[in-house]
Amino acid sequence: MEVGGGWYLRGDVGASVYDRAKYSTSYDYAGYPEANRSYGNEVGGGGFAGVGVGYQFTPFLRGDVTGEYRYSTGLRGSEYYRGPDYDNGLGSYGINKSSGHFDSAVVLANAYFDLGTWYGITPFIGAGAGYAFNHVSGYGTNGQFTSPTYAYDYGNPQYGGCPCAPPTYNYTPTYTVDANGNATPVYNSQATTKSYKDKTTGSFAWALHAGLAYNVTDAFKVELAYRYLNLGHASTGASFSTCCGEAGAGVKIKDIEAHDVKIGVRYLLGGLVAAPLPPLVPDYQPAPGPLVRKY
């Protein structure tokens, strides 16, 4: 084996589409039942670029270590929630919208199995594992909560078991009455705005590969490949409300999954990869003929 003969360099660029991620602790009104909530959270698509170094161990097995930078069009989220029906059938409802920036640096150790070469084209499959540094910045939420306006019903005092005790009054929704005697409930809306500190979160990452490599020359290869990449999770820092100035919990974005299409190049640094193994059974050699002597 020639020392260093199997080493190669690689570079990749590509585009990504992300599955819908799961958000947690991102909204103010977390007490409402899950059945009364609906979500629309996503990580926007983006692109990536990376480089790496690898080694061709055998004609069928190779491995490399890669590093890449990924960016996306950002985090976008929305949540609609409806409160329980109470007080004459009136209820509360609201919506929260969130947005932020997401990017990541990923390091992976990968192994590939080349399935053979036909007309200069080599299909391959592979897998990788590593670490992702997921960064969330500029994250914030804007919410609006609408509910009935309440007031004490002083026209209907409530007396307890003791007639000498002072009366109490129910806290009921407020209505307006028009000239025709039609009552309309009075609602009020409250707007909230929160910003979150930027944060980088480390997370285990893993990948699955499948693609085709084309032999431009013996040393130069071009790849077209698909990759599933699981980036783990990301988090924001603590929240800060512009209304009351109170710090709160951050947002956790879980199950960040990307589907990548990428184009890559590999350049073999030269030399032999490995000497071929000796055959398991020696080539057949016919037995020598009888020795003939002439006197």
Side-chain angles (χ1 to χ4, degrees), residues 49-144:
V51 295
V53 60
Y55 195 84
Q56 186 86 41
F57 296 100
T58 73
F60 299 101
L61 180 64
R62 56 187 169 89
D64 54 42
V65 176
T66 59
E68 67 183 51
Y69 170 75
R70 307 176 59 86
Y71 67 91
S72 78
T73 56
L75 303 169
R76 294 181 291 271
S78 64
E79 177 191 33
Y80 174 81
Y81 48 88
R82 180 178 57 83
D85 291 331
Y86 56 92
D87 297 330
N88 299 329
L90 303 178
S92 57
Y93 59 92
I95 188 170
N96 272 292
K97 293 186 176 182
S98 61
S99 62
H101 307 292
F102 173 77
D103 61 300
S104 181
V106 185
V107 178
L108 291 173
N110 306 285
Y112 310 90
F113 186 73
D114 295 327
L115 303 177
T117 301
W118 295 268
Y119 304 101
I121 298 176
T122 305
F124 64 87
I125 56 175
Y131 209 70
F133 300 89
N134 300 319
H135 181 66
V136 179
S137 61
Y139 192 86
T141 62
N142 294 285
Q144 185 167 343

Side-chain angles (χ1 to χ4, degrees), residues 10-252:
R10 70 172 302 133
D12 300 274
V13 295
S16 302
V17 175
Y18 292 86
D19 286 342
R20 178 170 291 182
K22 298 176 182 178
Y23 288 23
S24 65
T25 320
S26 54
Y27 304 109
D28 297 329
Y29 304 100
Y32 290 110
E34 191 71 20
N36 292 346
R37 304 160 77 92
S38 60
Y39 303 88
N41 302 322
E42 64 178 358
V43 180
F48 62 91
V51 295
V53 60
Y55 195 84
Q56 186 86 41
F57 296 100
T58 73
F60 299 101
L61 180 64
R62 56 187 169 89
D64 54 42
V65 176
T66 59
E68 67 183 51
Y69 170 75
R70 307 176 59 86
Y71 67 91
S72 78
T73 56
L75 303 169
R76 294 181 291 271
S78 64
E79 177 191 33
Y80 174 81
Y81 48 88
R82 180 178 57 83
D85 291 331
Y86 56 92
D87 297 330
N88 299 329
L90 303 178
S92 57
Y93 59 92
I95 188 170
N96 272 292
K97 293 186 176 182
S98 61
S99 62
H101 307 292
F102 173 77
D103 61 300
S104 181
V106 185
V107 178
L108 291 173
N110 306 285
Y112 310 90
F113 186 73
D114 295 327
L115 303 177
T117 301
W118 295 268
Y119 304 101
I121 298 176
T122 305
F124 64 87
I125 56 175
Y131 209 70
F133 300 89
N134 300 319
H135 181 66
V136 179
S137 61
Y139 192 86
T141 62
N142 294 285
Q144 185 167 343
F145 176 65
T146 301
S147 63
T149 302
Y150 297 94
Y152 287 112
D153 185 8
Y154 291 109
N156 296 288
Q158 305 293 319
Y159 295 95
C162 178
C164 299
T168 59
Y169 304 92
N170 287 332
Y171 197 52
T172 61
T174 301
Y175 292 82
T176 59
V177 180
D178 60 19
N180 297 322
N182 298 319
T184 303
V186 178
Y187 281 85
N188 70 87
S189 296
Q190 303 174 17
T192 60
T193 301
K194 281 189 176 182
S195 59
Y196 294 75
K197 294 182 178 180
D198 300 349
K199 186 176 180 181
T200 299
T201 305
S203 181
F204 174 74
W206 59 277
L208 298 174
H209 309 268
L212 301 171
Y214 178 69
N215 300 338
V216 180
T217 68
D218 289 340
F220 185 66
K221 324 287 183 182
V222 177
E223 293 182 359
L224 175 64
Y226 162 80
R227 177 178 65 182
Y228 167 83
L229 179 61
N230 189 305
L231 295 166
H233 66 273
S235 301
T236 70
S239 65
F240 182 83
S241 175
T242 57
C243 174
C244 55
E246 296 180 353
V251 178
K252 188 172 184 179

